[in-house]
């Protein structure tokens, strides 16, 4: 399909990108923290991909290449809006040092129906957006976009070993920030109206 | 072999992904059977991963696709013209 687009059927680009719209938007949103900016960044990423499609060599998958463009777009927008880059505050993401989870005695399953509630979706989005960039990108690629370990490591240009360390920490950080607040959403009274 | 809680936490991700080697898996599993704190951490983490992977978390804003594809149409037309 890419060869045909480059060879003179540009309208096929519409179909090529449809499966990636949500992934690109989610990545942009997790950096920019606001829907309008995320949408702008996502549009620009798709346009850049279109303009540079002839230069796409197919060494990686199209989706992988597209998400790299999105990462660059989101990072450069963040640099423009913030005087100091956030990443300088991050610890070395691959240094030893464990993230302690939130300690609970029991866990009552939160059903997926809870996501019908706007406040629950916002809670999850904000917790992901609050992760340091090095962990957030790994988490989004692996656990939200469900890319394979090797593919995700290739997008981020890191080793598989450091990808695994970062993914583990991202998950533990989310457990730590989300488990207590999810637990306090009063499951008995409110969840069950969706069951 | 006995393993401390904080060492079990290091393997939660591997446990969920099914990438622990069999010997370690057996040790972790045995601990989970007896430790309600580690079990709750495992269950809550798994639950959170299921929720965050749901398509509804990052729903596209209304009209996102329409706006994107009409911008693309403009781009395609100007590239052609
Ligand atoms: Zn334990």
């Amino acid at each position: 399909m890419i060869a045909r687009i480059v060879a003179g059927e540009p309208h096929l680009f519409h179909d090529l990108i449809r499966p990636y719209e949500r992934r690109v938007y989610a990545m942009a949103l997790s950096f920019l923290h606001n829907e309008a900016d995320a949408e702008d960044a996502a549009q620009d990423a798709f346009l850049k991909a279109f303009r540079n499609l002839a230069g796409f060599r197919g060494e990686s998958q199209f989706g992988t290449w597209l998400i790299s463009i999105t990462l660059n777009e989101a990072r450069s927008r963040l640099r423009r809006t913030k005087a100091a880059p956030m990443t300088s505050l991050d610890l070395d993401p691959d240094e030893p040092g464990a993230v302690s989870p939130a300690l609970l005695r029991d866990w009552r399953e939160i059903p997926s129906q809870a996501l019908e509630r706007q406040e629950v979706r916002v809670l999850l989005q904000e917790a992901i957006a609050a992760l340091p960039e090095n962990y957030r990108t790994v988490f989004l690629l692996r656990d939200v976009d469900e890319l394979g370990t090797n593919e995700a490591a290739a997008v981020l240009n890191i080793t598989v070993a450091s990808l695994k360390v970062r993914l583990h920490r991202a998950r533990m950080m989310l457990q730590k920030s989300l488990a207590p607040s999810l637990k306090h959403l009063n499951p008995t009274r409110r969840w069950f109206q969706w069951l | 072999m006995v393993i401390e809680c904080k060492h079990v936490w290091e393997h939660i991700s591997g446990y969920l992904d099914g990438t622990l080697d069999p010997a370690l898996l057996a040790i972790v599993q045995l601990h989970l059977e007896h430790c309600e704190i580690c079990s709750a951490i495992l269950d809550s983490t798994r639950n959170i991963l299921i929720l965050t992977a749901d398509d509804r978390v990052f729903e596209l804003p209304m009209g996102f696709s329409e706006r994107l594809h009409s911008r693309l149409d403009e781009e395609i037309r100007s590239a052609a013209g």
Side-chain angles (χ1 to χ4, degrees), chain B residues 5 31 35 38:
Chain B
C5 292
H31 181 97
C35 179
C38 288

Side-chain angles (χ1 to χ4, degrees), chain A residues 10-11 13-15 17-18 21-22 25-26 29-30 35 38-40 42-44 46-47 50-51 98-113 115-116 121 124-125 128 139-140 142-144 146 167-168 171-172 174-175 178-179 182, chain B residues 5-19 35-80:
Chain A
H11 58 278
F13 191 72
H14 288 291
D15 300 324
I17 63 170
R18 268 182 227 283
E21 289 178 18
R22 214 178 56 88
Y25 173 74
L29 183 63
S30 81
E35 289 193 0
E39 178 165 346
D40 275 355
Q43 285 191 1
D44 285 353
F46 283 118
L47 285 177
F50 177 72
R51 289 176 195 143
V99 177
S100 302
L103 303 183
L104 315 153
R105 281 233 163 261
D106 60 82
W107 180 256
R108 195 181 307 161
E109 201 71 11
I110 310 278
S112 296
Q113 286 92 328
L115 294 169
E116 298 298 328
R121 294 198 299 270
L124 297 175
Q125 282 179 11
I128 294 170
F139 179 80
L140 282 169
R142 283 286 287 119
D143 284 347
V144 177
E146 295 170 338
L167 180 62
H168 174 69
R171 288 167 167 178
M172 288 299 103
L174 286 177
Q175 192 275 351
L178 281 171
L182 286 172
Chain B
C5 292
K6 65 176 183 189
H7 294 303
V8 171
W9 304 342
E10 289 163 19
H11 302 299
I12 297 263
S13 242
Y15 185 91
L16 289 169
D17 289 338
T19 54
C35 179
E36 56 185 11
I37 289 176
C38 288
S39 299
I41 291 168
L42 177 72
D43 290 345
S44 55
T45 306
R46 184 194 284 121
N47 197 174
I48 285 164
L49 294 187
I50 290 169
L51 294 175
T52 51
D54 194 289
D55 284 355
R56 283 169 286 188
V57 176
F58 289 105
E59 231 170 27
L60 292 171
M62 288 270 278
F64 177 95
S65 288
E66 291 76 3
R67 290 189 292 275
L68 169 64
H69 288 278
S70 74
R71 226 186 126 187
L72 266 173
D73 274 330
E74 279 169 35
E75 175 75 20
I76 291 170
R77 267 197 303 274
S78 72

Side-chain angles (χ1 to χ4, degrees), chain A residues 8-190:
Chain A
E9 295 181 80
H11 58 278
L12 291 176
F13 191 72
H14 288 291
D15 300 324
L16 179 68
I17 63 170
R18 268 182 227 283
Y20 303 105
E21 289 178 18
R22 214 178 56 88
R23 183 188 289 187
V24 165
Y25 173 74
M27 184 60 84
L29 183 63
S30 81
F31 274 80
L32 301 168
H33 303 222
N34 129 11
E35 289 193 0
D37 290 347
E39 178 165 346
D40 275 355
Q43 285 191 1
D44 285 353
F46 283 118
L47 285 177
K48 279 183 184 158
F50 177 72
R51 289 176 195 143
N52 294 307
L53 197 60
F56 172 65
R57 299 269 170 248
E59 292 119 348
S60 58
Q61 298 199 25
F62 175 71
T64 312
W65 181 68
L66 182 61
I67 214 71
S68 311
I69 294 174
T70 308
L71 280 169
N72 287 336
E73 183 63 31
R75 285 180 184 135
S76 77
R77 276 172 184 256
L78 207 58
R79 275 197 297 276
R80 266 179 270 150
T81 52
K82 285 209 174 86
M86 295 273 284
T87 39
S88 63
L89 301 170
D90 293 350
L91 301 167
D92 183 335
D94 303 322
E95 275 292 295
V99 177
S100 302
L103 303 183
L104 315 153
R105 281 233 163 261
D106 60 82
W107 180 256
R108 195 181 307 161
E109 201 71 11
I110 310 278
S112 296
Q113 286 92 328
L115 294 169
E116 298 298 328
R117 290 165 63 184
Q118 165 86 2
E119 63 174 308
V120 178
R121 294 198 299 270
V122 168
L123 194 67
L124 297 175
Q125 282 179 11
E126 284 177 351
I128 294 170
L131 293 172
E133 180 184 328
N134 287 321
Y135 300 124
R136 187 177 65 237
T137 48
V138 167
F139 179 80
L140 282 169
L141 293 177
R142 283 286 287 119
D143 284 347
V144 177
D145 300 336
E146 295 170 338
L147 258 56
T149 299
N150 294 327
E151 202 185 347
V155 174
L156 299 170
N157 203 14
I158 57 176
T159 63
V160 166
S162 92
L163 181 109
K164 285 182 178 169
V165 172
R166 294 182 195 190
L167 180 62
H168 174 69
R169 291 197 190 149
R171 288 167 167 178
M172 288 299 103
M173 286 175 178
L174 286 177
Q175 192 275 351
K176 188 173 192 166
S177 66
L178 281 171
S181 33
L182 286 172
K183 217 182 152 154
H184 284 126
L185 279 170
N186 193 4
T188 44
R189 273 231 319 276
R190 281 145 118 205

